[in-house]
């Protein structure tokens, strides 16, 4: 009795470890041979052992509930397609392969069960055409598990709501019949397909092999919804190993990167179609997305919630969409820049090691817990459209806004407010109006808008600055003319203090020298009236550069306060002093 109990306990323990799990009716390999030949198989008669197995008389040719075992030391070849199984177990030193050779020939195992256990070898290598069909109907889940080696050409769902769980290290290799690129892992036009990579496991796609929402394309939009859960590692190994997340309107693709998840994208990532549905990318704390590719990272139509780490590398222009980041984002691009295609909020660290962020029409907001690390004039934020860099400046503390008007012109601003507030800053190249007489402005205009204005030290640094003539100025464009304030200048940096904010320019003036003439043949100032005998179009400016009057007639200056004025007409300029 004790021996019987011990035997039963041993059987149960071994069954729990997966060493003995064959059930009555399961097929086990009897020797090396082709899958479709009955002589390759024996049929289990006693659960947990093969010693009394009998020879198979047939091999299922349609969907089946029969489990198949490739026993240790045996190689079974899938000689034609399709072949059918419920669950498949490949024991250590066992191998399931096919005579299909990539890129042109795929042999499919059609599985109606839930588990492919590979402790030996599935596929003879990266060129083996052996693939998998999910034949178990709606909501079927297939788990690939085990400690062996899996090279799978392609996985094809066959119903809505199916799932694939990667619980071992697996590589997918299909690259189309020409070998130049196609999908190896995809929904096959069935809705709500889910892929999950378990912790500690790696899913690899070979070069030219795509994980894609579309049936064959690494660029085209799909027609269904799909979820990808990366709790282990997804390795798109080649320069053309594309991750295509584009889908149709009304559909959603979600990429979730868990706390220990890593996405290494050596190929393009695409979620940028204008007619796309919703693409959500969620990176948990501790998760990573590393875009290592020289190919496009096109995420302009995606919504990215990042609490982990995102790194964009490579040597081509990229794009990102709506970003809310409490984690870290780094650009370290050997060439090219990154375009922001929707508004973004940075509540963590944002580092520009190499490459700039180009705002276009979109705002970049850096929250109170966020920060920008960059190296002007090499790396900075390009405000080449209506987009603004929005940051908080603390009371009495200088805050750098590392902006530039183009990818070749860094024109930063430093603001030191009396009262803490958020500032929105943009720099462009189109001045609101030409410079007034005897003023020369640099070809940059800064739009600086505080939420709560207070007396603020403003430092503007154009990439190229005019040489000082007599004095340097920062001009504010108010209503329809400039108000100029004398500024200190160090290098290219102009500094002055302001209580009000409007478009700012900076430059130099020669007022006080070289303009002492107050008489021309057709215009004369007699101390109180500008005589305009030839009816020239006169424009009169005060010393701050503000236009005070324009006229085609003589002008009485009785309305004006005492001081220096500039009269400009045709190509002539004269200085008058009203005493």
């Amino acid at each position: 009795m004790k021996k019987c109990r011990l035997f039963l306990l041993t059987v149960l323990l071994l069954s729990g470890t997966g060493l003995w799990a064959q059930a009555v009716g399961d097929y086990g390999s009897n020797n090396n041979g082709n899958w479709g030949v009955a002589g390759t198989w024996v049929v289990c008669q006693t659960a947990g052992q093969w010693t009394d197995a009998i020879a198979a008389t047939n091999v299922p040719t349609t969907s089946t509930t029969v489990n198949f075992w490739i026993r240790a030391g045996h190689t079974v070849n899938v000689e034609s397609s399709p072949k059918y199984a419920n669950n498949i177990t490949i024991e250590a030193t066992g191998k399931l392969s096919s005579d299909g050779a990539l890129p042109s020939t795929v042999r499919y195992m059609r599985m109606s069960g839930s588990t492919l256990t590979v402790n030996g070898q599935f596929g003879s290598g990266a060129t083996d055409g052996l693939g998998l069909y999910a034949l178990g109907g709606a909501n079927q889940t297939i788990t690939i598990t085990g400690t062996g080696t899996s090279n799978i050409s392609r996985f094809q769902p066959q119903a809505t709501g199916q799932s694939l769980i990667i619980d071992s290290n697996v590589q997918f290799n299909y690259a189309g019949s020409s070998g130049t690129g196609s999908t190896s892992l995809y929904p096959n036009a069935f809705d709500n397909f889910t892929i999950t990579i378990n912790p500690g496991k790696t899913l690899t796609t070979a070069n030219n092999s795509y994980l894609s929402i579309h049936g064959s394309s690494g660029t085209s939009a799909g027609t269904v919804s799909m979820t990808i859960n990366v709790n282990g590692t997804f390795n798109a190994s080649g320069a053309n190993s594309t991750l295509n997340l584009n889908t149709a309107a009304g559909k959603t693709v979600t990429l979730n990167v868990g706390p220990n998840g890593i996405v290494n994208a050596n190929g393009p990532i695409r979620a940028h179609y204008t007619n796309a549905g919703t693409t959500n990318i969620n990176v948990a704390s501790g998760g990573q997305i590393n875009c290592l590719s020289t190919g496009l990272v096109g995420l302009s139509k995606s919504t990215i919630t990042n609490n982990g780490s995102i790194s964009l590398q490579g040597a081509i222009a990229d794009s990102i969409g709506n970003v809310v980041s409490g984690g870290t984002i780094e650009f370290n691009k050997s060439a090219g820049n990154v375009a922001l295609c929707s508004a973004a909020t940075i509540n963590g660290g944002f580092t520009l090691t190499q490459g700039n962020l180009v705002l276009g029409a979109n705002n970049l907001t850096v929250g109170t817990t966020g920060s920008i690390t960059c190296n002007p004039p090499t790396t900075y934020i390009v405000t080449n459209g209506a987009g603004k860099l929005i940051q908080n400046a603390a009371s009495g503390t200088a805050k750098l806004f590392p902006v530039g008007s183009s990818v070749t012109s860094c024109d930063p601003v430093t603001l030191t407010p009396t009262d803490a507030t958020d500032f929105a800053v943009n720099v462009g190249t189109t001045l609101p109006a030409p410079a007034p007489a005897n003023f020369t402005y640099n070809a940059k205009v800064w739009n600086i808008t505080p939420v709560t204005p207070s007396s603020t030290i403003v430092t503007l640094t154009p990439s190229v600055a005019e040489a000082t003539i007599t004095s340097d100025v920062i001009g504010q464009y108010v209503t329809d003319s400039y108000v100029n304030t004398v500024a200190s200048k160090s290098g290219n940096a102009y500094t002055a203090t302001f209580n009000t904010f409007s478009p700012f320019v900076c430059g130099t003036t020669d007022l006080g020298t070289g303009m002492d003439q107050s008489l021309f043949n057709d215009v004369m100032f007699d101390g109180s009236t500008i005589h305009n005998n030839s009816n020239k179009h006169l424009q009169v400016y005060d010393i701050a550069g503000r236009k005070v009057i324009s006229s085609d007639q003589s002008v009485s200056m009785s309305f004006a306060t005492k001081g220096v004025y500039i009269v400009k007409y045709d190509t002539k300029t004269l200085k008058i002093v009203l005493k």
Side-chain angles (χ1 to χ4, degrees):
M1 185 68 177
K2 289 182 178 179
K3 290 182 178 179
C4 181
R5 288 177 178 172
L6 179 61
F7 173 77
L8 290 174
L9 178 60
T10 303
V11 169
L12 290 172
L13 288 173
L14 290 173
S15 296
T17 64
L19 295 176
W20 284 0
Q22 59 267 43
V24 174
D26 286 1
Y27 277 40
S29 60
N30 187 45
N31 48 47
N32 298 338
N34 287 334
W35 184 285
V37 176
T40 303
W41 305 102
V42 292
V43 182
C44 178
Q45 300 300 301
T46 302
Q49 55 93 17
W50 298 105
T51 56
D52 60 349
I54 62 174
T57 58
N58 60 71
V59 180
T61 57
T62 60
S63 180
T64 182
T65 58
V66 174
N67 301 320
F68 282 78
W69 293 70
I70 314 302
R71 297 167 63 192
H74 293 167
T75 296
V76 176
N77 176 62
V78 177
E79 75 279 13
S80 62
S81 182
K83 294 293 184 263
Y84 296 87
N86 189 47
N87 299 309
I88 300 173
T89 300
I90 306 171
E91 294 180 349
T93 71
K95 181 167 74 172
L96 179 62
S97 59
S98 81
D99 59 8
L102 296 179
S104 58
T105 305
V106 179
R107 304 290 194 217
Y108 283 107
M109 288 301 314
R110 298 192 174 191
M111 289 184 59
S112 51
S114 62
T115 308
L116 168 61
T117 302
V118 182
N119 293 316
Q121 189 173 347
F122 185 100
S124 57
T127 60
D128 195 321
L130 188 60
L132 291 174
Y133 260 53
L135 205 60
N139 303 315
Q140 177 189 13
T141 296
I142 292 179
T143 299
I144 303 175
T145 189
T147 59
T149 301
S150 295
N151 274 281
I152 301 175
S153 65
R154 205 176 197 193
F155 181 88
Q156 287 195 347
Q158 295 295 308
T160 298
Q162 292 185 329
S163 298
L164 177 65
I165 298 175
I166 304 298
D167 193 48
S168 63
N169 297 333
V170 180
Q171 179 164 310
F172 286 84
N173 299 303
Y174 184 73
S177 58
S178 65
T180 58
S182 190
T183 54
S184 61
L185 193 52
Y186 65 115
N188 197 25
F190 290 99
D191 215 2
N192 300 320
F193 177 50
T194 300
I195 302 167
T196 299
I197 306 171
N198 281 349
K201 309 304 178 182
T202 298
L203 167 62
T204 300
T205 51
N207 192 31
N208 296 317
S209 185
Y210 310 154
L211 195 170
S212 174
I213 184 70
H214 190 271
S216 60
S217 173
T219 59
S220 302
T223 58
V224 296
S225 296
M226 178 173 72
T227 300
I228 305 168
N229 301 311
V230 182
N231 299 312
T233 299
F234 170 60
N235 182 29
S237 65
N240 195 35
S241 299
T242 299
L243 175 60
N244 178 12
L245 307 177
N246 291 311
T247 195
K251 299 297 181 179
T252 300
V253 175
T254 301
L255 171 61
N256 296 315
V257 182
N260 298 303
I262 300 172
V263 174
N264 291 322
N266 289 280
I269 299 179
R270 302 180 186 274
H272 62 285
Y273 275 23
T274 56
N275 64 339
T278 300
T279 301
N280 296 318
I281 299 175
N282 305 310
V283 186
S285 177
Q288 302 176 38
I289 296 180
N290 302 310
C291 300
L292 310 172
S293 172
T294 56
L296 173 72
V297 177
L299 300 177
S300 58
K301 297 300 177 180
S302 62
T303 297
I304 302 172
T305 303
N306 174 45
N307 291 303
S309 169
I310 296 177
S311 174
L312 299 186
Q313 301 179 34
I316 194 170
D318 297 330
S319 63
I320 57 174
N322 184 5
V323 179
V324 177
S325 178
T328 62
I329 297 178
E330 181 185 16
F331 295 170
N332 190 6
K333 301 178 61 60
S334 58
N337 299 289
V338 179
L340 183 65
C341 299
S342 298
T345 300
I346 302 297
N347 294 316
F350 179 31
T351 300
L352 299 174
T353 302
Q354 294 185 90
N356 301 320
L357 179 64
V358 182
L359 298 190
N362 306 291
N363 290 343
L364 174 66
T365 300
V366 181
T368 54
T369 60
S371 64
I372 297 177
T373 302
C374 60
N375 185 29
T378 304
T379 58
Y380 51 93
I381 308 298
V382 179
T383 61
N384 60 328
K388 301 175 180 63
L389 172 59
I390 301 171
Q391 295 187 106
N392 182 268
S395 172
T397 302
K399 184 69 173 184
L400 173 66
F401 288 71
V403 295
S405 56
S406 72
V407 296
T408 59
S409 180
C410 181
D411 314 286
V413 176
T414 300
L415 301 173
T416 310
T418 300
D419 300 326
T421 191
D422 289 344
F423 285 89
V425 173
N426 172 289
V427 59
T429 59
T430 303
L431 274 60
N438 295 94
F439 285 82
T440 301
Y441 294 145
N442 302 298
K444 301 292 161 61
V445 56
W446 291 264
N447 291 287
I448 302 173
T449 306
V451 172
T452 305
S454 66
S455 179
T456 300
I457 300 171
V458 176
T459 299
L460 310 175
T461 307
S463 57
V464 177
E466 296 286 344
T468 301
I469 299 175
T470 300
S471 57
D472 298 295
V473 296
I474 293 178
Q476 288 180 277
Y477 192 73
V478 181
T479 309
D480 61 353
S481 61
Y482 290 100
V483 176
N484 291 283
T485 300
V486 174
S488 62
K489 184 182 178 189
S490 176
N492 285 6
Y494 298 75
T495 301
T497 300
F498 297 91
N499 294 303
T500 59
F501 295 83
S502 49
F504 289 91
V505 296
C506 58
T508 188
T509 180
D510 65 358
L511 284 178
T513 62
M515 291 175 49
D516 55 0
Q517 192 169 359
S518 60
L519 173 66
F520 286 110
N521 292 333
D522 41 11
V523 175
M524 181 191 70
F525 179 62
D526 63 6
S528 60
T529 299
I530 304 171
H531 296 278
N532 186 7
N533 298 326
S534 299
N535 300 115
K536 300 291 185 180
H537 181 65
L538 305 181
Q539 298 182 79
V540 182
Y541 299 87
D542 63 18
I543 196 169
R546 186 196 300 268
K547 184 190 294 184
V548 296
I549 193 171
S550 60
S551 176
D552 296 331
Q553 308 295 322
S554 295
V555 176
S556 172
M557 296 296 290
S558 59
F559 70 92
T561 58
K562 296 178 180 179
V564 176
Y565 292 87
I566 306 300
V567 181
K568 188 173 182 180
Y569 66 98
D570 294 341
T571 60
K572 299 183 176 68
T573 300
L574 61 87
K575 180 180 74 174
I576 63 174
V577 180
L578 185 63
K579 299 180 179 179

